[in-house]
Amino acid sequence: MKLNKIILAFDSFKGSLTAEEAVTAATEAVRETHGDIEVIGLPLADGGEGTTEAIRQFMNAELVFASVHDPLLRSIKAQYAVSKDGSTAIMEMAAASGLILLAPEERNPMETSTYGVGEMILDAVGRGCRHIVIGIGGSATNDGGLGMLAALGAEIRIGNDSVKTPCGKDLMRVTSVSLESVPDISIEVICDVNNPLFGPEGAAYVFAGQKGADAGQIALLDSGLRNLSGVCRLNPDLPGNGAAGGLGYALRLIGAIIRPGSEAIIDLSGLDGHLDGADLVITGEGSIDAQTLRGKLPSGVMQCAARHGVYTIAVAGKVKDRERLLNAGFKDAIQITPEGMPLETAMKKEIAMANLKNAVRDILK
């Protein structure tokens, strides 16, 4: 079959390539083998790393900086974007409260706080933004969003005492949360997980270990999230409430709408329109497996393409559960890392780009 139009829609290859770098590498491979093909390159994200940049490009938004506090309440500058008309702010919680801001030995969700996320939102409101779009992947926190709420003006109390900058260890003792002083803000949350607030599939048991918690701390944090649910009385089982250590739950408390990350970004990218006349879609990210089918970006791209009758091939540094991926609708799922190549080598930017180019060349042959 002669190819006339191909779409390259990539998330980041975490630790190796940004989504834009992946699109650039794949585009170069297409040009080298089929110079006459129309290529549509779409750097995408699903709520985690790269969300702000992906949306900023589609909306032609301007980057700004806010003075906030990091997960351990140290002063930093956090970057986000504001739309040209000044009405919408696009941000990632990780810019203020992300795991990337901490050294490995500093990771401890008992001590970390989302306070900086609230400060970043307030900065946007102060600039006149009426709508906030926030990706909540990559957090270093498990404070149920209490830090964010406190920064926005909520009163968090433990007995008779008000807690100004709550963190994870305060969850177990919180007795009241008053939202009366929180400004009325329109917030759209982009989230790539659907976990409940607490329990075996909740924020603490699934994610807190990655943030530095040991088994005892995980149990305490889970109990704390249960306590928060009892205090606030919002259904803890809504999908996404357990995202970012319970930040999804806190955002829902102040009226936020949570959308699957891939769905929101795909809508903004205009992928539907680009699929008209397309012959093939290549998508991918760092690792693809059965979990990809639970709302991750490559799965969303594939489903969108399938509605237009266009095949999708997935590529990744590592591929598992290939048969499940094919049964779900991918035309193919290809691991770009050669067998036997050490992970440390494969993660290097220049090696990852070369591996991706080779994979795309092979696909087009």
Side-chain angles (χ1 to χ4, degrees), residues 190-250:
I190 298 177
C191 175
D192 66 350
V193 301
N194 56 13
N195 302 71
L197 183 61
F198 56 78
E201 298 298 319
Y205 277 106
V206 175
F207 301 112
Q210 304 165 14
K211 304 173 187 182
D214 60 29
Q217 291 171 330
I218 289 171
L220 288 172
L221 289 167
D222 186 73
S223 295
L225 292 170
R226 289 176 184 270
N227 177 56
L228 178 65
S229 174
V231 169
C232 296
R233 300 191 178 281
L234 175 71
N235 181 359
D237 295 326
L238 296 175
N241 277 355
L247 179 62
Y249 183 80

Side-chain angles (χ1 to χ4, degrees), residues 56 59-63 81-90 129:
R56 184 190 73 79
M59 295 182 65
N60 195 24
E62 178 184 356
L63 292 173
V82 176
S83 62
K84 287 295 184 183
D85 65 3
S87 67
T88 301
I90 306 105
C129 296

Side-chain angles (χ1 to χ4, degrees), residues 42-67:
L42 300 176
L44 303 175
D46 57 12
E49 178 186 356
T51 297
T52 297
E53 182 59 21
I55 299 177
R56 184 190 73 79
Q57 290 188 46
F58 300 134
M59 295 182 65
N60 195 24
E62 178 184 356
L63 292 173
V64 298
F65 289 88
S67 296

